[in-house]
C-alpha cells in the first residue's frame, strides 16, 4: 500500500515557489526533510549539509522564501527533498532559470546522489548537460512515449 511508502518518492515541481511553504529557508528544508522536530546542532548539520549539496551558502538559511531569486528557490526546494533521502527523485524542469554555473553544480549534486543509489527521473524540454546525469532518454511526441 502507498501509505507505507510515504517519502520514498520525492517530486520537485517546475515552479519551486509552489513547493516552498514555510517562512524561511531553514524551516522549509527541515519540513521537507520531515525533521521539523530537530533542534540545535542536529538541525544545523542537516540544513547545512542540504544547502551545501545544492551550492547554497549558509547565511541564506535565515532568509525568507520570498527574498530568494528563482534559482535559489529551486535549489532550496531540492535541498529539502534531498535531505529527506528519497529512493526516487522526480524533477520537473529542474534547470529552468539557472545560470550555467548553477546548472553544472546541480547536475553534479544529482549525479552524486544517483551514484549512491537514488533513482532520478528528469522531465524537461531543456536537456543540455543532462547526459552526465541521465543514461536513458525517452521522448514524448504526439502522446507517444518513445
Amino acid at each position: 500500500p502507498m501509505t507505507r511508502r510515504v517519502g520514498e518518492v520525492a517530486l520537485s515541481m517546475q515552479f519551486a515557489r509552489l513547493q516552498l511553504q514555510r517562512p524561511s529557508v531553514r524551516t522549509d528544508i527541515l519540513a521537507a526533510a520531515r525533521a521539523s522536530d530537530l533542534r540545535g546542532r542536529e538541525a544545523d548539520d542537516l540544513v547545512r549539509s542540504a544547502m551545501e549539496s545544492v551550492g547554497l551558502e549558509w547565511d541564506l538559511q535565515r532568509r525568507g522564501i520570498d527574498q530568494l531569486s528563482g534559482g535559489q528557490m529551486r535549489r532550496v526546494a531540492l535541498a529539502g527533498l534531498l535531505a529527506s533521502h528519497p529512493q526516487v527523485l522526480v524533477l520537473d524542469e529542474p534547470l529552468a532559470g539557472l545560470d550555467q554555473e548553477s546548472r553544472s553544480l546541480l547536475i553534479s549534486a544529482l549525479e552524486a546522489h544517483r551514484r549512491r543509489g537514488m533513482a532520478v527521473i528528469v522531465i524537461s524540454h531543456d536537456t543540455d548537460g543532462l547526459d552526465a546525469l541521465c543514461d536513458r532518454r525517452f521522448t514524448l511526441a504526439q502522446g507517444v512515449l518513445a
Side-chain angles (χ1 to χ4, degrees):
M2 291 307 297
T3 55
R4 294 186 194 159
R5 303 183 76 102
V6 171
E8 290 181 14
V9 176
L11 172 64
S12 177
M13 298 181 205
Q14 180 175 359
F15 300 106
R17 183 61 186 101
L18 298 175
Q19 195 162 346
L20 302 171
Q21 300 297 313
R22 303 297 187 275
S24 72
V25 169
R26 179 187 183 85
T27 56
D28 208 279
I29 289 172
L30 288 170
R34 297 180 311 279
S36 294
D37 57 333
L38 285 183
R39 300 283 179 259
R41 185 156 184 94
E42 264 188 307
D44 286 349
D45 290 347
L46 185 143
V47 172
R48 185 182 311 273
S49 176
M51 291 179 71
E52 286 175 356
S53 76
V54 296
L56 290 171
E57 295 184 19
W58 176 245
D59 64 333
L60 288 178
Q61 62 133 347
R62 299 263 181 230
R63 192 172 291 182
I65 295 300
D66 289 322
Q67 296 174 316
L68 302 175
S69 70
Q72 288 170 326
M73 284 185 195
R74 184 173 301 284
R75 290 190 282 163
V76 168
L78 185 57
L81 295 176
L82 292 173
S84 74
H85 304 289
Q87 291 179 10
V88 179
L89 181 61
V90 180
L91 305 166
D92 185 9
E93 300 290 352
L95 305 178
L98 298 181
D99 60 29
Q100 190 57 45
E101 182 180 339
S102 296
R103 290 169 69 98
S104 296
L105 185 136
L106 204 57
I107 290 169
S108 294
L110 292 168
E111 188 179 13
H113 283 278
R114 197 190 84 164
R115 281 193 308 271
R116 289 192 295 269
M118 181 186 298
V120 178
I121 299 170
V122 178
I123 303 161
S124 186
H125 294 92
D126 180 6
T127 60
D128 289 344
L130 288 176
D131 290 335
L133 176 63
C134 303
D135 55 3
R136 291 189 298 174
R137 182 183 300 206
F138 298 94
T139 303
L140 181 63
Q142 298 179 2
V144 177
L145 191 60

